Amino acid sequence: MSQTERIIKGAEDLFLTAGIKSITMDDIARHLGMSKKTIYQFFKDKNELVVALTKQKLKEDEDQMNDIISKSNNVIEEMINMTKCSEEIFSRINPIVIHDLQKYHPEAWNDFQKFKAEILIQKMEELLIKGMEQGYIRKDIDVRIIARMRVNQVELGFNTSIFPVSEFSPWKVQVQFLDHFNYGICTLEGYKLLNEYKNINNE
């Protein structure tokens, strides 16, 4: 692992547990057992580090999605595998990270919004169209509307003014959204197959 990768990973560990705003470059240096001066050789400030981390995570997420799509036999299996992949991601995210990113790091937030608009929504539209062709997704839904709704639901689930962390588990909120979505778009055939896959995974 290069120094740059090590710094990004160390920052990620701290941000995920405590949010971005409350973590200083001193905290990251202490966490990594290196001097702050060393970190500044690679990143001029915390914002640059946050942007680099965001770009890296978005690339990893895209690669993971492409891997799932290429290995799944049908759209329903794809949806189940995406759920398992999301579980791993969402269980680690502190909702404060989303809030801090939006409020204090506009460049990184714009990268996330661009990724959402250009990658996530497009992949969701492709999944829905493919599912219709396979007979598992209802043909009466408007793909462009439903894809945008689903992608933006994720952000909604992390909105702490609607779902306070003291009352709701962020991952449980996401699971409810996901289940509601998956069952809402399926035909009867898709519904049966979805249940079969869920039963296999639960056993």
Side-chain angles (χ1 to χ4, degrees):
M1 192 185 281
S2 70
Q3 282 282 58
T4 309
E5 288 168 335
R6 207 174 142 232
I7 294 164
I8 289 174
K9 178 74 178 72
E12 181 188 4
D13 292 343
L14 294 178
F15 293 157
L16 286 176
T17 48
I20 301 170
K21 185 174 184 282
S22 63
I23 297 296
T24 64
M25 293 296 251
D26 281 309
D27 294 326
I28 296 165
R30 244 191 325 271
H31 176 66
L32 290 166
M34 64 171 64
S35 72
K36 197 162 64 167
K37 193 176 164 190
T38 306
I39 295 176
Y40 282 124
Q41 285 172 2
F42 297 93
F43 301 99
K44 71 171 191 273
D45 55 27
K46 189 169 85 169
N47 185 62
E48 193 174 277
L49 176 52
V50 170
V51 170
L53 170 60
T54 303
K55 285 184 192 299
Q56 182 183 300
K57 295 317 287 181
L58 295 177
K59 180 74 178 76
E60 284 172 14
D61 288 349
E62 187 181 356
D63 290 345
Q64 205 169 5
M65 277 191 297
N66 289 334
D67 188 50
I68 286 169
I69 291 164
S70 68
K71 287 178 178 171
S72 300
N73 294 314
N74 56 60
V75 160
I76 303 296
E77 191 176 316
E78 213 173 293
M79 282 157 60
I80 290 286
N81 289 336
M82 287 283 190
T83 305
K84 286 193 285 188
C85 163
S86 304
E87 182 172 0
E88 195 268 321
I89 295 166
F90 294 143
S91 62
R92 290 186 298 117
I93 292 181
N94 184 331
I96 300 165
V97 172
I98 307 287
H99 170 267
D100 287 354
L101 204 62
Q102 186 174 10
K103 194 165 182 185
Y104 305 108
H105 301 280
E107 190 186 338
W109 181 253
N110 287 339
D111 283 339
F112 172 61
Q113 294 301 318
K114 197 175 168 200
F115 174 76
K116 204 170 71 171
E118 294 176 9
I119 309 287
L120 291 183
I121 289 172
Q122 184 196 342
K123 295 246 183 259
M124 183 55 69
E125 287 181 2
E126 287 168 5
L127 179 140
L128 292 169
I129 291 164
K130 190 162 57 176
M132 286 175 179
E133 288 165 0
Q134 292 174 3
Y136 297 128
I137 305 288
R138 288 165 41 208
K139 288 190 174 172
D140 61 325
I141 62 174
D142 186 311
V143 167
R144 291 178 69 233
I145 293 172
I146 297 300
R148 278 159 181 72
M149 180 199 80
R150 174 61 203 131
V151 169
N152 284 286
Q153 271 182 341
V154 174
E155 224 170 283
L156 174 68
F158 284 119
N159 186 328
T160 52
S161 62
I162 300 171
F163 298 104
V165 183
S166 57
E167 292 178 50
F168 300 94
S169 148
W171 168 233
K172 197 169 180 186
V173 172
Q174 297 294 345
V175 169
Q176 288 289 302
F177 280 177
L178 204 48
D179 263 358
H180 180 263
F181 172 77
N182 286 350
Y183 281 105
I185 61 172
C186 282
T187 59
L188 197 54
E189 283 304 305
Y191 190 93
K192 285 177 190 165
L193 195 57
L194 190 58
N195 274 339
E196 277 175 34
Y197 277 115
K198 284 191 83 168
N199 291 336
I200 289 165
N201 282 315
N202 287 336
E203 281 171 6

